[in-house]
Amino acid sequence: MRILALAGVMVGYFLLLQRPSGARDWSLAAAGLVLCLAAGKWVFGALLAQSVLLVAAHTLGASIVPSLKVLAAVTLFELAVQQSGRRLTAGATGLALAVAVNRFEDLPGELLPVLYKMGIVAGLPLLLGAYVRVTRDAAVHARQHAEQQELRAEQQLLAARAAERTTIARELHDLVAHHVSSMVLRVGVARHVTAATGTTDPRITEVLDDLHASAGAALTDLRRLVALLRAPDPTGPDTGSLVEPGALPTALESVVEHSRQTGLTVTASVDPRVARLDAVRGLAVLRLAQEGLANAAKHGGPGAHAELTVRVADDAVHVTIHDDGAGRARPPASGPSGHGLIGMRERVDLLGGRLDAGPATQGWRLTAELPAFASHMEPQL
């Protein structure tokens, strides 16, 4: 680009300010411009040719020798910017010798002026080009170093997260999963004992069966969660989503039924199109329903009624959970018991959605909106 700009400037200079006199000068000027353009691809060869052309123009007594010196000096600058080593030394030496040959008749009396002119024509472009090259290389090295530092910091962060996941997985396995497994075993023993005696109230048997099923499902989820924490690879075995694609409506129905068994009256409205959600958003919707209905059962008060609505509209999934209980026993969302709400908010934020929860005119209302990819929501023909 610099070569083209210089060529354009020299064309204007030859046409408007100092027109070459005669066909010989025009030919030399044209040759200088062609070599200037050739320097864009063959900078070393163009510089050597310009040095020879400079000597020839001086020998022929052409009036455009100063202009040819400018062209050669700029070519040397380009060479110094692009290369270093032998080629640069040879190119600078060739141009300096061309200047010395043109002033050969002035030697040795004008040695200092000749050396000065050689320094201006060949030395100054050499130093400027080398400075630009060194500065550019330093900037490249600094950028590469910054990228390496960023990559190293990212790797350290990933390693710290992996260590943290491993610690959490170990605690879940050694503490929570152990106790849940013990609960499942003891409930199973109780069911066996009550079945053997045949004197237990059927309602107690029903509660034990439900407790055994719930604890078994919790233990399965814990085991899959531990596997996910230890090996977070979505393609690996037993590390996928806890809800299969297309099974979200059935999973939501199970959550609603389980909430009803706890004594909460639940009315559910689920859009069938949620079955086309991807696994990540499907799991988020399922967890929102689980946590929201669990909070309604816990804090809604005796005889509370909850409404669960899951619908798809405007390329988004809308989840609404509203209970009409008095909610006087409900703790503030930011209090010690608000970890479930915090977890829901973090899950929604991670997917680029928003979650609002707070007192309503009657009871408590939770609303969440998750963006859904349009490709997942297109109707199947």
Side-chain angles (χ1 to χ4, degrees):
M1 184 61 67
R2 289 187 293 264
I3 292 293
L4 292 177
L6 176 63
V9 170
M10 295 308 297
V11 168
Y13 179 78
F14 289 144
L15 293 177
L16 301 176
L17 298 181
Q18 186 181 4
R19 294 187 178 183
S21 57
R24 180 191 60 189
D25 287 0
W26 276 109
S27 299
L28 293 172
L33 290 173
V34 169
L35 292 174
C36 182
L37 294 174
K41 189 173 182 180
W42 303 288
V43 60
F44 177 69
L47 177 59
L48 295 181
Q50 284 177 334
S51 300
V52 175
L53 182 64
L54 185 60
V55 175
H58 180 78
T59 303
L60 296 174
S63 60
I64 61 169
V65 172
S67 300
L68 295 178
K69 289 180 181 178
V70 173
L71 292 175
V74 173
T75 303
L76 176 59
F77 171 80
E78 288 293 330
L79 180 63
V81 169
Q82 299 178 17
Q83 303 178 15
S84 61
R86 295 181 179 180
R87 282 179 171 265
L88 180 59
T89 302
T93 302
L95 181 57
L97 290 177
V99 174
V101 169
N102 289 347
R103 296 293 302 273
F104 185 75
E105 65 274 8
D106 298 331
L107 297 175
E110 299 292 332
L111 178 61
L112 290 179
V114 171
L115 293 177
Y116 177 78
K117 195 168 187 178
M118 293 170 62
I120 293 297
V121 176
L124 185 59
L126 177 65
L127 294 177
L128 290 177
Y131 173 77
V132 171
R133 186 186 70 253
V134 171
T135 303
R136 181 188 60 191
D137 293 344
V140 171
H141 291 158
R143 183 169 61 252
Q144 292 176 347
H145 179 71
E147 292 175 353
Q148 292 175 355
Q149 290 293 107
E150 183 178 357
L151 180 60
R152 187 177 295 109
E154 183 178 356
Q155 292 175 345
Q156 291 175 352
L157 178 60
L158 291 176
R161 288 178 176 176
E164 183 179 7
R165 286 196 304 267
T166 302
T167 301
I168 296 174
R170 183 171 58 250
E171 295 299 327
L172 283 175
H173 180 271
D174 294 345
L175 297 178
V176 181
H178 172 72
H179 291 301
V180 174
S181 178
S182 177
M183 291 168 54
V184 173
L185 179 62
R186 293 181 182 182
V187 171
V189 172
R191 291 172 64 203
H192 178 73
V193 171
T194 55
T197 59
T199 58
T200 306
D201 191 326
R203 291 174 296 179
I204 297 178
T205 302
E206 182 179 356
V207 171
L208 289 175
D209 291 342
D210 179 66
L211 181 59
H212 186 270
S214 299
L219 183 60
T220 301
D221 286 354
L222 275 173
R223 287 171 176 170
R224 299 184 69 178
L225 181 58
V226 168
L228 181 62
L229 287 170
R230 287 189 176 275
D233 182 5
T235 62
D238 298 327
T239 61
S241 170
L242 300 184
V243 57
E244 297 295 333
L248 181 58
T250 303
L252 289 172
E253 184 179 351
S254 299
V255 171
V256 171
E257 184 62 28
H258 178 74
S259 299
R260 289 170 179 165
Q261 293 175 1
T262 63
L264 181 68
T265 303
V266 183
T267 301
S269 175
V270 178
D271 191 333
R273 289 182 295 173
V274 298
R276 301 171 193 165
L277 288 173
D278 60 279
V280 175
R281 284 162 179 76
L283 180 60
V285 171
L286 180 63
R287 292 296 182 250
L288 287 172
Q290 287 177 329
E291 186 67 24
L293 291 177
N295 286 342
K298 181 178 181 181
H299 304 296
H305 175 266
E307 296 180 359
L308 168 67
T309 303
V310 182
R311 62 186 180 89
V312 179
D314 301 327
D315 292 333
V317 185
H318 303 270
V319 180
T320 303
I321 302 174
H322 175 228
D323 70 79
D324 60 358
R328 287 188 296 269
R330 185 184 301 274
S334 59
S337 300
H339 296 295
L341 183 59
I342 293 175
M344 286 191 290
R345 193 179 304 278
E346 290 175 346
R347 185 185 294 272
V348 171
D349 290 341
L350 186 63
L351 295 177
R354 62 182 182 85
L355 183 143
D356 297 316
T361 304
Q362 290 184 344
W364 189 271
R365 179 184 295 271
L366 181 146
T367 60
E369 179 180 333
L370 298 173
F373 292 126
S375 59
H376 294 290
M377 304 311 303
E378 294 176 354
Q380 298 178 355
L381 300 179

